[in-house]
Amino acid sequence: MAFGCNRKAPDGEYFGTTERVGKSDTTFYVNAHDEPEYIDPGLSTESVGSTLMLDLFEGLVLLHPDDLRPVQGVATRWDRSDDNRIFRFYLRPEAKWSDGQRVVAGDFAYAWRRVLTASSGARMATLMYPIKNGQLFHQGKLLVTREALDLRDGPEGKTTGPGLPEHQAVRILQTTPAKTKVAPLARTIGETLTFAQDQLVATNDTRAPTLAAEAPAEVLALGPEVTCNGSPDRWYRVRVGDATGHLPGCALVDDPKATWALVERYDDLPTFRPPAPPPSAPPDESDTADPDAPKASEAPEPAPAPEPTGFVPLSALTADPAVIGVRAVGDDVFEVELDKPTPYFLELCGYVTFMPVRRDVIEKWEAKGRPDLWYRPENIVTNGPYTLDEHKFRYEITFKKNPHYYRRDDVKIDRVVWLEISSYDATMNLYETGEIDYIGANLSLPQAYMDVLEGYKDFDRSLWLATYWYEFNTQKPPVDNLLVRRALNLAVDKQQLIDTVTRGDQQPATHVIPDFIGSGYSKLAADENDPLGRKLFAGKGYEFDPDYARGLLREAGYPVTKEGEGWRAEGFPPLEILYNTSEGHRNIAVALQDMWKRHLGISVQLRNEEWKVMISNLREGNYQVARFGWVADYNHPHTFLDTFLSYSQNNWTRYEDPQLDAMVEKAARTADPDESIRLYREAEKRATDATTRLPLYFYTKSTLIKPYVKGYFPNGQNRHPIRWMWIDPSWKTDHDNRPTYPPEELPPPGIIAP
């Protein structure tokens, strides 16, 4: 069916018809674009599933459809401690699941703990790392003892120091066999030894501090001398700057019988209470005080007692989610304790990963070995305005109104029909003829027709907090070479790509985070011009420069020589671009294929896969270069940099940089907002310079939505729940756009006192 973009509707103002012939005003038709990977809030990572779940589930807060500020969801009010680390949410008693059961605080506690349980496979778990002990627990480094245990000075060694009681939390410092050795050996406590950065296996911070290639450490404690792999060795407790940590030493023992863990007692558990203020200083009695005596502020602090440290069998430890900083206080109150102040935490609570799920529903199907069946239409239980009615695989998903939703009478759309149409032309035909009311949040308009479509009143374009990039698998040659990755980046004319291919007025990206993101980042980016007008990510090494790119390729060992009218990269191995089914993605891949051939003399093959298959191959590392990108989960730069962390399950580049990890973590725990944002900018530069991703452009979102649809508001996260939308039969005379019902504002937080 041809796409008739050259003709206008009868009134000449709108693209296609504005009549809804034979359709109910309470049924809404929209394109989902593709099959969702999951309809499970805890497991979803991609935009199709997340879009659906904005209406199937409801978190503690909703995000206002216009400016995305947090408003009431399941929680109607909240308290917060002065240090922004303790939160208390009060749940509305009328919130119910679609089977009539009440939504209780325990549903949130279960859902959040499930995400942080590594065996669940939740790839967005890093969003919950601000929660007290969330990161340690998710990474399997925080366990509890099954029974009272002796601590040993080595695997199967002698008992040393006090033991551990039953159900004592411990932090895993290392397990056998370790991969590193300590040299040279220190002989006494108090000596200094030098070690490589990657040998420090644990510190009193979650991650090791940023260190030089080699760092000095003061020895605080040492284990017995042992023979490991035929060489003398031991483990050490050391101080490095302000941090204390462990070097693995005799964890090199490879015990064929069992795995041993080097652990330390861990008592930093959630209290859900803010710290008490320090006692006020006594009055200054200068007349009688000894003038030579040190003042209280100058008195040395007593040295902390060393934590009990030693080896235990790993099998004697177990995971207990009670160590995580979330808990239900009865049915009505849900409490959260964070590791550090997190300025965007309330916004996070409106993201799908933080939505509740029912334990009894999920575990029923887990017990049957089919955990994926819990979200089939006949089994699913939801707490949002809609529930799943039908799911016709790769064809259509239908929602019906949740009869127990607390605002069911205010929701004006009773039925939502989500088509799964990946074709641009087919979608445009359906919209033009009135078969769908909105092309949906997950499909962009055809690039070839942007100039024509811009003339219609039902066309909308807005900035979108999203970056289109290509992922490099840094473990697959030739893109395991930084010089090759940089050459590929600098050989792409991104402005030409936007002008001739995407044609959506996007912004060329020389780095990874949109400059217009919030929390002060946009102001920092605008203010960083130097006297010559250059910005941080501009100029040589960042912008299109094919000559420089060819020089980098030569330096990488692939001489680029002139061949006729073009170039040839000698000895360059085969290269393949993987992209998911979409005309737009194919057009971009073809453009890069052509640019790399013209500017570098590289031949590139294209490989097309369906979305779910491509995601699986990204996860398994079965690619060299792949089309991807990131949409902001919240209006803060951390949402992008989180995907670059070595332990992020959304880092499919396989690139690990402990220094970048430490930079992002330092920025996250810095209380001063201006300094924090400055540190994030520094971390972005390090992430960009590693070129593990090739940024192409910062998105704009162009869409078509019928003029009779009210409650749609452009916003930076392209977040458009159907719950706020409605069909207005009087749209020709009533031009007021408003949500179907006014969002309920959250009151200011109460104060949680010490």
Side-chain angles (χ1 to χ4, degrees):
M1 185 162 52
F3 170 42
C5 74
N6 292 319
R7 72 173 186 274
K8 292 189 176 183
D11 59 10
E13 295 182 302
Y14 300 99
F15 178 79
T17 182
T18 57
E19 303 297 325
R20 299 185 89 240
V21 179
K23 291 189 171 120
S24 166
D25 288 343
T26 61
T27 300
F28 192 73
Y29 296 86
V30 59
N31 186 14
H33 175 55
D34 215 330
E35 180 70 23
E37 186 180 16
Y38 296 102
I39 307 180
D40 183 327
L43 301 185
S44 179
T45 63
E46 43 79 37
S47 59
V48 176
S50 297
T51 298
L52 297 175
M53 284 180 284
L54 289 177
D55 285 301
L56 291 173
F57 296 90
E58 182 168 304
L60 295 166
V61 301
L62 297 169
L63 299 183
H64 194 284
D66 187 0
D67 62 5
L68 302 176
R69 69 182 182 274
V71 296
Q72 290 184 37
V74 176
T76 58
R77 60 189 179 93
W78 60 304
D79 299 334
R80 183 183 61 192
S81 62
D82 283 337
D83 64 356
N84 202 41
R85 290 180 54 251
I86 313 295
F87 291 77
R88 182 179 296 140
F89 297 95
Y90 299 88
L91 309 191
R92 60 174 75 241
E94 67 272 27
K96 293 184 179 180
W97 294 95
S98 53
D99 64 356
Q101 287 194 33
R102 188 185 163 193
V103 180
V104 296
D107 297 328
F108 284 94
Y110 166 73
W112 292 21
R113 288 169 174 173
R114 174 179 178 246
V115 169
L116 286 169
T117 300
S119 60
S120 73
R123 299 193 301 279
M124 298 299 288
T126 53
L127 287 178
M128 291 191 177
Y129 277 13
I131 296 172
K132 183 78 172 178
N133 295 332
Q135 181 175 355
L136 283 174
F137 183 82
H138 181 248
Q139 294 175 346
K141 295 179 180 179
L142 184 55
L143 303 176
V144 299
T145 58
R146 297 178 184 271
E147 57 189 18
L149 294 175
D150 290 329
L151 286 169
R152 300 182 180 275
D153 59 11
E156 298 186 333
K158 297 178 181 178
T159 300
T160 176
L164 299 171
E166 181 182 3
H167 212 70
Q168 169 64 49
V170 296
R171 186 154 70 111
I172 306 295
L173 305 178
Q174 185 60 280
T175 56
T176 59
K179 302 296 183 184
T180 59
K181 291 187 66 174
V182 178
L185 290 174
R187 295 300 177 188
T188 63
I189 294 174
E191 281 194 28
T192 298
L193 58 82
T194 301
F195 64 96
Q197 175 178 334
D198 62 359
Q199 291 178 318
L200 190 66
V201 297
T203 71
N204 55 1
D205 293 323
T206 302
R207 302 282 297 178
T210 302
L211 304 172
E214 292 188 345
E218 178 191 359
V219 178
L220 302 179
L222 57 160
E225 291 191 9
V226 295
T227 299
C228 297
N229 293 343
S231 301
D233 213 333
R234 64 173 80 215
W235 61 263
Y236 301 85
R237 181 173 178 80
V238 297
R239 178 183 291 118
V240 188
D242 295 332
T244 57
H246 284 80
L247 296 164
C250 65
L252 286 163
V253 170
D254 187 359
D255 183 358
K257 301 176 183 176
T259 299
W260 288 78
L262 174 61
V263 303
E264 68 179 4
R265 178 173 174 144
Y266 189 86
D267 293 318
D268 189 15
L269 300 176
T271 64
F272 302 96
R273 295 190 306 273
S280 57
D284 185 7
E285 301 175 358
S286 55
D287 292 340
T288 58
D290 180 356
D292 296 324
K295 296 181 174 62
S297 60
E298 299 174 352
E301 295 183 3
E307 299 91 337
T309 305
F311 286 87
V312 297
L314 188 62
S315 60
L317 306 176
T318 187
D320 183 354
V323 301
I324 302 170
V326 299
R327 71 174 180 182
V329 183
D331 289 343
D332 302 323
V333 178
F334 179 61
E335 292 187 337
V336 184
E337 181 172 345
L338 305 182
D339 266 323
K340 54 185 175 290
T342 304
Y344 50 88
F345 178 70
L346 197 61
E347 285 84 354
L348 276 179
C349 292
Y351 188 67
V352 294
T353 307
F354 291 76
M355 292 176 178
V357 291
R358 277 258 297 278
R359 180 173 190 162
D360 59 318
V361 175
I362 292 176
E363 292 189 348
K364 170 185 175 181
W365 292 101
E366 286 180 342
K368 295 180 179 182
R370 291 299 308 272
D372 57 310
L373 292 185
W374 85 263
Y375 50 82
R376 292 295 304 159
E378 61 271 21
N379 303 325
I380 195 169
V381 177
T382 67
N383 75 315
Y386 299 99
T387 191
L388 197 56
D389 189 24
E390 290 185 288
H391 187 170
K392 299 175 182 177
F393 186 66
R394 295 182 183 169
Y395 177 69
E396 182 180 281
I397 295 174
T398 306
F399 289 178
K400 61 182 178 182
K401 191 183 290 190
N402 176 358
H404 297 285
Y405 185 61
Y406 61 92
R407 297 208 69 161
R408 60 190 175 277
D409 294 336
D410 296 318
V411 176
K412 295 183 179 179
I413 300 296
D414 294 337
R415 184 169 175 264
V416 186
V417 180
W418 298 87
L419 304 180
E420 296 183 7
I421 309 295
S422 61
S423 165
Y424 289 124
D425 287 352
T427 301
M428 297 304 293
N429 274 300
L430 291 170
Y431 181 86
E432 185 181 19
T433 58
E435 294 301 312
I436 58 175
D437 303 305
Y438 167 41
I439 69 166
N442 298 310
L443 190 78
S444 297
L445 296 174
Q447 296 98 337
Y449 306 112
M450 292 301 295
D451 294 340
V452 174
L453 293 171
E454 287 176 354
Y456 293 98
K457 286 186 175 180
D458 48 349
F459 171 85
D460 179 77
R461 175 184 288 150
S462 58
L463 293 175
W464 186 15
L465 290 172
T467 307
Y468 193 110
W469 65 46
Y470 272 33
E471 302 255 335
F472 289 123
N473 185 340
T474 61
Q475 293 182 359
K476 287 285 184 71
V479 293
D480 58 340
N481 188 319
L482 173 61
L483 296 173
V484 171
R485 299 197 300 268
R486 292 184 66 199
L488 293 173
N489 181 26
L490 298 178
V492 176
D493 188 338
K494 298 168 187 179
Q495 187 62 59
Q496 183 187 59
L497 182 73
I498 291 166
D499 293 342
T500 62
V501 180
T502 63
R503 302 179 65 182
D505 200 26
Q506 296 91 350
Q507 298 182 4
T510 57
H511 52 119
V512 293
I513 302 177
D515 282 339
F516 48 89
I517 202 166
S519 303
Y521 212 67
S522 58
K523 183 179 186 303
L524 181 65
D527 291 347
E528 70 185 6
N529 286 346
D530 69 12
L532 298 179
R534 295 173 301 196
K535 302 190 73 172
L536 181 61
F537 297 106
K540 194 173 185 65
Y542 292 102
E543 296 180 329
F544 175 59
D545 191 338
D547 286 335
Y548 187 26
R550 287 189 287 270
L552 290 172
L553 214 54
R554 292 188 189 101
E555 190 178 345
Y558 306 107
V560 182
T561 57
K562 196 71 176 171
E563 186 174 74
E565 296 296 320
W567 303 91
R568 180 169 65 89
E570 297 180 8
F572 196 85
L575 191 64
E576 180 184 73
I577 292 176
L578 171 64
Y579 67 95
N580 59 296
T581 304
S582 164
E583 296 161 39
H585 298 327
R586 174 174 170 76
N587 291 340
I588 292 172
V590 169
L592 264 65
Q593 180 187 45
D594 175 66
M595 290 181 189
W596 288 343
K597 179 64 176 177
R598 283 191 289 117
H599 300 313
L600 298 178
I602 291 173
S603 296
V604 180
Q605 299 298 315
L606 304 184
R607 182 169 120 228
N608 164 235
E609 293 177 344
E610 293 181 359
W611 174 248
K612 292 178 71 172
V613 177
M614 190 190 84
I615 289 292
S616 176
N617 278 314
L618 281 172
R619 190 182 305 125
E620 299 300 323
N622 299 324
Y623 77 99
Q624 290 173 300
V625 185
R627 195 293 309 178
F628 208 66
W630 197 255
V631 179
D633 300 320
Y634 43 93
N635 195 18
H636 190 279
H638 193 97
T639 184
F640 287 93
L641 288 175
D642 179 85
T643 70
F644 286 81
L645 299 178
S646 61
Y647 48 84
S648 171
Q649 295 195 32
N650 294 303
N651 179 2
W652 293 327
T653 68
R654 271 55 178 182
Y655 186 78
E656 296 186 7
D657 181 355
Q659 185 169 341
L660 177 61
D661 294 350
M663 292 172 74
V664 174
E665 288 155 4
K666 182 179 180 181
R669 66 174 178 262
T670 298
D672 179 76
D674 293 337
E675 177 64 8
S676 174
I677 286 297
R678 187 189 68 77
L679 293 171
Y680 274 112
R681 191 70 166 172
E682 289 183 359
E684 182 190 6
K685 185 175 189 307
R686 186 171 180 88
T688 299
D689 289 348
T691 322
T692 63
R693 282 146 177 170
L694 192 168
L696 292 177
Y697 57 79
F698 301 130
Y699 279 84
T700 55
K701 188 60 181 178
S702 300
T703 194
L704 287 167
I705 187 164
K706 298 293 185 181
Y708 49 72
V709 178
K710 301 291 182 72
Y712 169 90
F713 298 88
N715 58 64
Q717 288 184 246
N718 190 38
R719 184 181 176 115
H720 306 293
I722 307 301
R723 71 172 75 209
W724 305 118
M725 298 185 195
W726 54 290
I727 306 297
D728 184 3
S730 304
W731 66 273
K732 291 183 179 179
T733 56
D734 181 3
H735 303 297
D736 183 23
N737 183 35
R738 57 193 179 275
T740 184
Y741 61 90
E744 299 174 276
E745 298 293 340
L746 269 174
I751 301 300
I752 301 177

